Amino acid sequence: LLLLLLLQVLASCLWLGHGEVVTSLQSSCPQFFFWQTPPNAALTPPNPAWICQRYGNKYYFATLYDRTLRIPVYSAYLYQPGPGKRPNTWLVEPQLMGQNYPKTMERERTLLNNFKVSLEQLSKSQAILQDYKNLTGLNRGHLNPNGHHGNSSSRRATFTLTNIVPQDVQLNGGAWNNYEQQTMMRMTKACKTTYVVVGAVPGNSYIANGRVNIPSHIWSSACCELDANNMKAWGVIAENNRNVVQLLTLGELEDSLTVLYGRESVSLFHSACPRE
């Protein structure tokens, strides 16, 4: 009996390690963080979900998701841009409903048709497509953008609603897009590996009858390995109602986020990443 119990515990541990919704990003998909160190607990909301974003049986990035506000707190990934088409299929995260659902992101209709899931059941666990219909002045803003990935599977993986926030239309298509496409390319020219953590500060307003929070700020941070002994880092932040992106040091961004989140001191990367 004891052996059977041990086997059951071992099986559940193995299963958890491969699931999408995990108990720790550090133990399940640490490869997306510099020195395998995720941001500290200062960003963790009261009702969190840690997601190793899995598509087609492979992890592509990591997300801390706020189950209550139905937006991601941050997404973390490696910056590896390449040519490719923008996907147009939106996916959701089945395991936010429970770990007996598929481990890989799926289309809403696949879950409704093949897994006997109701839209109400799905909508209790996360944002759904309906939440983002008929928006005025806002659209679906990626935290981890598809353009920072070099193949079709990794691009598709970014099209999950757990990687999306309601973002100001002008900011998303203007200054933020300019940062993602132009500034990132310029800043990462000499980088061998660039780790990115991009996030959203919760705001005081909502879409979809109070279901999905509209962030007050969108921010991004990067830690770049130039060679074995040299690093550089930077951050940006934007108010989510103005088409302006402010370029900061990593330390300045962490200080700003510490004030905005109002918990403890925010640390986005391992201390080996330069703050100045």
Side-chain angles (χ1 to χ4, degrees):
L1 184 65
L2 185 62
L3 182 61
L4 187 64
L5 276 171
L6 279 169
L7 285 170
Q8 281 179 329
V9 168
L10 182 62
S12 69
C13 289
L14 287 170
W15 194 88
L16 262 177
H18 290 82
E20 277 263 336
V21 175
V22 297
T23 51
S24 159
L25 297 177
Q26 193 161 15
S27 58
S28 297
C29 48
Q31 64 268 35
F32 304 113
F33 302 97
F34 172 61
W35 281 24
Q36 304 194 349
T37 306
N40 69 343
L43 299 181
T44 307
N47 191 13
W50 293 272
I51 307 171
C52 293
Q53 298 281 13
R54 178 175 172 144
Y55 178 80
N57 221 24
K58 185 178 175 185
Y59 293 149
Y60 286 104
F61 63 105
T63 298
L64 173 58
Y65 190 73
D66 189 325
R67 292 173 179 269
T68 303
L69 301 181
R70 296 187 179 89
I71 57 169
V73 177
Y74 65 73
S75 286
Y77 61 96
L78 296 174
Y79 176 70
Q80 296 169 322
K85 285 196 298 198
R86 179 184 167 89
N88 57 13
T89 302
W90 289 95
L91 305 165
V92 290
E93 180 45 67
Q95 290 218 322
L96 285 173
M97 293 184 294
Q99 294 215 315
N100 51 333
Y101 290 100
K103 301 173 190 175
T104 192
M105 52 184 78
E106 298 278 0
R107 294 181 190 211
E108 272 185 21
R109 69 165 181 260
T110 303
L111 287 173
L112 301 183
N113 296 340
N114 299 356
F115 293 90
K116 305 289 186 285
V117 171
S118 70
L119 199 57
E120 185 188 6
Q121 188 183 358
L122 180 63
S123 70
K124 279 181 182 167
S125 68
Q126 61 201 283
I128 57 172
L129 287 168
Q130 183 63 41
D131 294 328
Y132 283 90
K133 294 265 168 70
N134 308 317
L135 296 182
T136 307
L138 296 162
N139 60 12
R140 288 177 282 211
H142 283 76
L143 291 192
N144 176 359
N146 84 94
H148 286 185
H149 297 270
N151 66 59
S152 59
S153 291
S154 55
R155 283 170 174 259
R156 266 190 218 115
T158 66
F159 270 68
T160 165
L161 294 184
T162 55
N163 179 44
I164 299 297
V165 297
Q167 188 171 8
D168 180 86
V169 168
Q170 288 185 309
L171 175 63
N172 195 11
W176 193 259
N177 182 63
N178 186 56
Y179 170 71
E180 288 179 339
Q181 304 307 324
Q182 313 302 323
T183 312
M184 274 294 283
M185 194 173 287
R186 190 176 72 248
M187 300 279 283
T188 56
K189 267 213 164 86
C191 300
K192 288 194 165 55
T193 308
T194 304
Y195 296 86
V196 181
V197 180
V198 54
V201 181
N204 296 318
S205 48
Y206 291 78
I207 59 168
N209 296 320
R211 279 180 41 78
V212 178
N213 185 265
I214 302 171
S216 64
H217 297 73
I218 315 289
W219 55 269
S220 184
S221 58
C223 185
C224 138
E225 294 177 325
L226 295 162
D227 56 44
N229 302 310
N230 290 293
M231 311 282 311
K232 72 172 183 174
W234 62 91
V236 293
I237 194 163
E239 292 176 59
N240 194 23
N241 58 3
R242 295 176 63 222
N243 188 21
V244 178
V245 170
Q246 191 181 0
L247 186 61
L248 305 169
T249 65
L250 177 58
E252 286 169 343
L253 176 62
E254 288 177 335
D255 289 346
S256 294
L257 295 179
T258 298
V259 172
L260 287 166
Y261 282 94
R263 296 182 194 139
E264 57 190 278
S265 186
V266 169
S267 172
L268 297 175
F269 293 103
H270 186 280
S271 58
C273 202
R275 264 56 188 181
E276 293 307 314

